[in-house]
Amino acid sequence: MSAKPKVLLIVTQDTKEQEGRFLRGVLEENGCEVIHLDASVRRTVGGAEISPEEIAGAAGKTIEEVRALGHEGKCQAVMIEGAMKLAVEAHERLGFSGILSIGGSMGTTLGTAIMRAFPYGLPKLMISTLASGFTAPFVGLKDICMLNAVCDISGLNSIAREVFRNGAAAVAGMAHAYRPAKADGRPLVLISTLGTTERGMRTLREKLEADGYEVMAFHTTGNGGKTLDSIATDRDVAAIVDMSLVEINDHIHNGICTAGPERATAGLARGIPTIFAPGNTDFYIMPSPMAVGDDPFGGRRFHIHNAALTAVRTNSGDLERLADHVAGIAKDAKGPVRFYIPLKGFSHHDSPEGHLHDPSLPPIFADYVASAMPGNVDVRRFEYHINDPEFAIALADAVRELTSVKAVA
């Protein structure tokens, strides 16, 4: 059996045969064994370890039937379905240490769809003509590297050779260093945060890690909350501390960092013990170019964080809408739910040193939360700021109580 790291190479040879041979050569020169997956539709060149015919068959069709669809999008959907199935099966059988793909819009869609089916940590690199543009649909929630192809992927030239060589060498290097992560063994706690609640989150993380938990923190700028929810769906999670709810605020206000209406529902549906705290609900996030004129946000105060992001201060009505939303998703929770409210402020902005401080609102919000939450939600108030260490200790105590893990003395 080969001791070389195995790399899955995703290149459609019907349009990129020359480029595929070049990349294979660089990977092999760098000590990798290559498994080439070729999801070509127009013609079969041959030589790939996973052929177009096999890919179509894995999706329940012949390659002739795929070609007869006569629509590039429909053809690609079939080939992606078959390619994902065969790639995952090959990984289970062979154990890949890296994935490399090249392409324009079609190839990038194909390559990254397959990459997203693989676990975190496995090296994944997409050389793409779209890498300098809007990459979110391709990267999704996974750890995919994207390298700008610079030139169109159409033959080899002095720039393309260097870009392709660098990409292939990078994957080879990562593949040689790759070691599949072993199960941590510690109970896993997921935490949401932003820089404006970083101090409190850090204290909480340190307390939990000292007690023997594994902690993963997620930056709630849209993808962060979605990733937290994805991991809550896929992994064995002991508890969730959702202490940054700005993505819910942004969903309500059509802000930049919305994570959609399903944000925070994954853990509740699985019965994972969840502690909510209203971190960063003192604002929602809008584009800074909107912060112009005499009254850009309906009389609300705002703070221009940078040229892209402006924090808009929430009022009591905004906070009531947030509470109603959380109450709506929490009522059907299959596990214990708590809502902890720090009465001295919800973020650094909402502090005496911040830009949006309003000490009158947290107690009003707490009263409304107590009346709005369904009976299965345990609502508690604390005379602390969200970044105070005492509040972090209260959250850590809640995690211990809900997961029955004894604190370290």
Side-chain angles (χ1 to χ4, degrees):
M1 178 177 285
S2 171
K4 297 178 180 179
K6 297 175 177 62
V7 173
L8 178 66
L9 176 64
I10 305 167
V11 178
T12 51
Q13 293 189 105
D14 56 354
T15 58
K16 295 170 179 61
E17 179 183 1
Q18 185 181 18
E19 296 89 335
R21 287 199 305 268
F22 182 85
L23 289 169
R24 182 175 197 127
V26 176
L27 288 169
E28 291 176 344
E29 288 171 7
N30 283 273
C32 295
E33 180 181 343
V34 177
I35 294 84
H36 183 179
L37 182 151
D38 180 7
S40 298
V41 172
R42 299 176 187 176
R43 63 190 177 96
T44 299
V45 174
E49 283 74 13
I50 303 175
S51 70
E53 288 76 11
E54 292 173 289
I55 293 169
K61 292 186 178 295
T62 66
I63 193 65
E64 290 77 18
E65 288 173 329
V66 175
R67 291 167 181 158
L69 292 172
H71 184 287
E72 69 276 14
K74 293 178 181 179
C75 293
Q76 185 178 63
V78 174
M79 298 303 277
I80 286 176
E81 178 186 347
M84 289 175 65
K85 180 179 179 181
L86 293 182
V88 171
E89 288 177 355
H91 177 54
E92 292 172 351
R93 186 175 68 254
L94 301 173
F96 296 138
S97 295
I99 306 175
L100 174 64
S101 184
I102 59 170
S105 62
M106 297 292 282
T108 302
T109 300
L110 167 75
T112 56
I114 296 169
M115 290 175 183
R116 291 194 300 273
F118 281 79
Y120 292 102
L122 181 73
K124 315 166 188 72
L125 191 145
M126 180 77 228
I127 302 175
S128 171
T129 57
L130 304 179
S132 64
F134 185 46
T135 60
F138 308 113
V139 175
L141 307 179
K142 285 300 180 77
D143 50 343
I144 296 173
C145 303
M146 291 192 71
L147 176 60
N148 184 17
V150 183
C151 303
D152 187 24
I153 300 176
S154 180
L156 299 175
N157 56 59
S158 58
I159 292 178
R161 285 190 183 90
E162 293 303 310
V163 172
F164 294 167
R165 183 180 295 110
N166 288 342
V171 170
M174 290 188 285
H176 279 286
Y178 175 63
R179 301 293 182 272
K182 297 179 180 179
D184 189 282
R186 296 177 293 169
L188 173 61
V189 178
L190 311 180
I191 303 176
S192 61
T193 190
L194 274 184
T196 41
T197 49
E198 172 70 20
R199 185 158 52 90
M201 185 282 296
R202 186 169 58 250
T203 302
L204 173 61
R205 176 178 56 77
E206 291 169 353
K207 293 290 183 184
L208 292 175
E209 288 177 342
D211 286 346
Y213 293 91
E214 179 187 9
V215 177
M216 295 182 185
F218 300 88
H219 205 63
T220 52
T221 54
N223 267 7
K226 291 178 183 178
T227 305
L228 184 155
D229 290 343
S230 174
I231 292 174
T233 299
D234 295 338
R235 294 200 180 191
D236 184 11
V237 176
I240 297 171
V241 183
D242 229 335
M243 63 179 293
S244 178
L245 304 182
V246 69
E247 291 165 322
I248 295 177
N249 257 355
D250 277 26
H251 167 65
I252 293 170
H253 295 278
N254 296 315
I256 291 175
C257 295
T258 178
E262 301 302 313
R263 170 72 178 92
T265 61
L268 300 173
R270 288 195 66 198
I272 299 170
T274 299
I275 304 106
F276 289 107
N280 305 308
T281 61
D282 50 300
F283 59 89
Y284 55 94
I285 302 173
M286 300 298 283
S288 290
M290 292 182 63
V292 295
D294 296 331
D295 189 18
F297 303 111
R300 295 172 179 82
R301 296 160 56 196
F302 59 91
H303 168 63
I304 300 175
H305 183 60
N306 55 40
L309 309 177
T310 286
V312 182
R313 172 72 230 196
T314 48
N315 56 35
S316 59
D318 298 329
L319 291 170
E320 288 178 5
R321 292 172 66 191
L322 171 81
D324 289 340
H325 183 93
V326 175
I329 63 175
K331 62 182 174 61
D332 297 322
K334 296 181 179 178
V337 182
R338 296 185 184 182
F339 202 121
Y340 280 20
I341 306 170
L343 296 175
K344 299 289 182 68
F346 298 161
S347 80
H348 178 72
H349 289 324
D350 190 20
S351 70
E353 300 80 28
H355 303 280
L356 302 172
H357 189 38
D358 188 339
S360 71
L361 287 176
I364 295 172
F365 177 69
D367 289 342
Y368 189 83
V369 168
S371 67
M373 287 299 147
N376 63 315
V377 178
D378 181 357
V379 179
R380 304 189 189 187
R381 310 171 189 225
F382 299 85
E383 291 290 339
Y384 304 120
H385 188 273
I386 197 163
N387 282 323
D388 287 343
E390 295 87 351
F391 188 68
I393 291 170
L395 293 172
D397 288 343
V399 172
R400 296 185 196 108
E401 292 166 13
L402 294 174
T403 60
S404 302
V405 174
K406 186 177 180 181
V408 174

